[in-house]
Amino acid sequence: MSKEHLFLRALRGEQVERPPVWLMRQAGRYLPEYMELKRKYDFFTRIRTPELATEITIQPIDIVGPDAAILFSDILVIPEAMGVEVQMIAGKGPYLPKTMQTKEDIDNLRVKDAEFDLQYVYDAIRLTKQELAGRVPLIGFAGAPFTIFCYMVEGEGSKTFSKAKSLCFAEPALAKSLLSKITDVTIAYLLKKIEAGADAIQVFDSWSGLLSPHDFMEFSFPYLQRIHDAIRSKVPVILFPKGSDYALKELNDLNPAAIGLDWTISPKKARQLAPDVTLQGNFDPSKLYMSREEIMRQTTDMIHQFGMQRYVANLGHGMMPTIPVDSVKAFIEAVKSYEEL
Ligand code: CP3
């Protein structure tokens, strides 16, 4: 039954009557209902308690009505399962006190069976699927190895991730051994998420845009490819290498179900560079501060430009906490009422 959903049809390249829509970070702080749970439970309690993760995942489905749910969780559960402490500092973001610097640090990481530490994620998927009862498909996700590597080496968010990048360039073999370990754990983890019921997988490479085209092919692409190869026969895969439009042709040639785009590329150019896949994106989330009329007008225009087939309407990156709920509704409404001219 869920196989008939608009979102999955668009990912498979089948004809649709309108494009499906969802928003990155659709579960989160812009929703008063989320803030209420945030006041009661800390971040890790929210993601580790299947009942809470399920409730937060379904909140946007009930309130703003996208065509897919994305499990409330975080990409940094992977370093945690590998034995690295991850803290979430209020108002600042993730903090990993022990960073990866030496061969010994990397040798000490847990790889084998690490995915079994994340049972709470699989339980949350099973419960969410049960509660969704086929209303919309459920997206599972992971960080791309390069993005996880950035946090494990840098220890915190950064505009440049210069410590992480310098490890790539100064000690490429060491960097690749860490990227490879992250990839192994991520594959085992995603296979278990799929087994638990995830209908599609998005891989977030939030920081790949910090790499040059050449370095992307060396430090990100091979690991994305390994993940894609391991799961592509099971569910549709969306690759979102933010800021790496320069690699669209190579990504297209991997033939994933879809590629996510940020707002720095025009729909026309993206179609030219990636003609064989479904495209997802790419509304600038800051545009959700415009008036309702302007949001609807520009969203409709974005769909015109992408064309409504092989397209998933979304933002070019995650929602910000201060975006008004009504603006999110306007975005979704514009997609749902879209009619081809
Ligand atoms: O999209 C969704 O609605 C699903 C949930 C989701 C979260 N994180 C919840 C979350 C997803 C898909 C992620 C992925 C994630 N996490 C990424 C990749 C996507 C991207 O934005 O590029 C990254 C880089 C992370 C790491 C991370 N987790 C950061 C940098 C932060 C702090 C940033 C911030 O906005 O405060 C988090 C915390 C986090 N993950 C929050 C949420 C809702 C905020 C926690 C809170 O204060 O409530």
Side-chain angles (χ1 to χ4, degrees), residues 10-11 13 221 237-241 244-262 265-282 305-307 309-312:
L11 289 181
F221 187 87
V237 181
I238 306 164
L239 299 177
F240 177 54
S244 296
D245 302 340
Y246 52 69
L248 269 179
K249 191 184 172 312
E250 287 82 358
L251 291 159
N252 175 79
D253 294 346
L254 271 188
N255 199 24
I259 298 175
L261 304 167
D262 63 48
I265 189 164
S266 70
K268 190 164 164 242
K269 188 157 179 218
R271 286 283 192 208
Q272 274 165 7
L273 292 169
D276 304 319
V277 301
T278 293
L279 294 176
Q280 173 179 282
N282 67 345
Q305 291 182 46
F306 274 105
Q309 301 303 333
R310 290 193 312 163
Y311 174 55
V312 176

Side-chain angles (χ1 to χ4, degrees), residues 29-311:
R29 288 166 295 183
Y30 74 103
L31 289 174
E33 292 80 355
Y34 174 84
M35 291 310 287
E36 209 170 294
L37 292 175
K38 184 177 153 96
R39 276 191 286 276
K40 286 193 215 149
Y41 308 99
D42 71 27
F43 184 70
F44 288 105
T45 306
R46 277 175 272 143
I47 67 171
R48 285 185 196 132
T49 311
E51 290 73 16
L52 290 174
T54 295
E55 183 177 346
I56 295 170
T57 301
I58 296 180
Q59 279 176 348
I61 308 304
D62 292 333
I63 300 165
V64 295
D67 295 305
I70 178 162
L71 186 75
F72 182 75
S73 183
D74 202 85
I75 61 170
L76 297 173
V77 300
I78 289 290
E80 216 171 27
M82 295 175 83
V84 175
E85 185 190 349
V86 179
Q87 301 170 6
M88 199 55 76
I89 314 245
K92 198 161 172 281
Y95 179 62
L96 292 68
K98 169 82 183 111
T99 59
M100 297 295 108
Q101 307 295 337
T102 63
K103 180 171 183 300
E104 200 193 354
D105 294 337
I106 296 167
D107 285 345
N108 285 336
L109 288 171
R110 179 164 177 236
V111 175
K112 191 173 177 300
D113 293 341
E115 72 277 15
F116 289 101
D117 263 26
L118 301 171
Q119 187 57 42
Y120 64 85
V121 179
Y122 320 129
D123 290 343
I125 291 178
R126 289 202 171 83
L127 186 61
T128 303
K129 288 281 287 184
Q130 199 180 315
E131 298 281 314
L132 282 171
R135 279 163 70 195
V136 291
L138 178 63
I139 304 167
F141 66 88
F146 178 71
T147 286
I148 299 295
F149 171 95
C150 279
Y151 286 103
M152 288 178 80
V153 177
E154 199 88 20
E156 61 192 341
S158 160
K159 283 197 168 65
T160 56
F161 282 98
S162 54
K163 287 182 205 145
K165 283 171 64 182
S166 45
L167 189 69
C168 290
F169 304 139
E171 296 192 67
L174 189 65
K176 286 175 190 178
S177 72
L178 177 52
L179 286 161
S180 191
K181 285 191 172 192
I182 297 167
T183 305
D184 291 341
V185 177
T186 302
I187 289 171
Y189 169 64
L190 288 177
L191 288 171
K192 288 190 79 69
K193 282 178 113 162
I194 295 164
E195 190 186 297
D199 298 292
I201 294 293
Q202 174 153 321
V203 183
F204 287 88
D205 210 349
S206 306
W207 300 110
S208 65
L210 295 174
L211 292 168
S212 73
H214 173 271
D215 297 326
F216 176 83
M217 292 311 290
E218 188 164 351
F219 296 103
S220 175
F221 187 87
Y223 307 96
L224 287 174
Q225 180 167 28
R226 268 181 58 201
I227 292 173
H228 182 247
D229 284 350
I231 62 174
R232 65 178 306 169
S233 66
K234 304 196 185 291
V235 292
V237 181
I238 306 164
L239 299 177
F240 177 54
K242 185 172 183 295
S244 296
D245 302 340
Y246 52 69
L248 269 179
K249 191 184 172 312
E250 287 82 358
L251 291 159
N252 175 79
D253 294 346
L254 271 188
N255 199 24
I259 298 175
L261 304 167
D262 63 48
W263 54 87
T264 61
I265 189 164
S266 70
K268 190 164 164 242
K269 188 157 179 218
R271 286 283 192 208
Q272 274 165 7
L273 292 169
D276 304 319
V277 301
T278 293
L279 294 176
Q280 173 179 282
N282 67 345
F283 204 73
D284 185 336
S286 300
K287 289 191 175 222
L288 293 177
Y289 295 106
M290 300 186 305
S291 70
R292 177 185 167 81
E293 291 66 36
E294 200 54 27
I295 291 169
M296 292 193 72
R297 196 185 66 71
Q298 294 204 23
T299 304
T300 304
D301 185 54
M302 172 178 76
I303 305 171
H304 279 325
Q305 291 182 46
F306 274 105
M308 88 175 184
Q309 301 303 333
R310 290 193 312 163
Y311 174 55

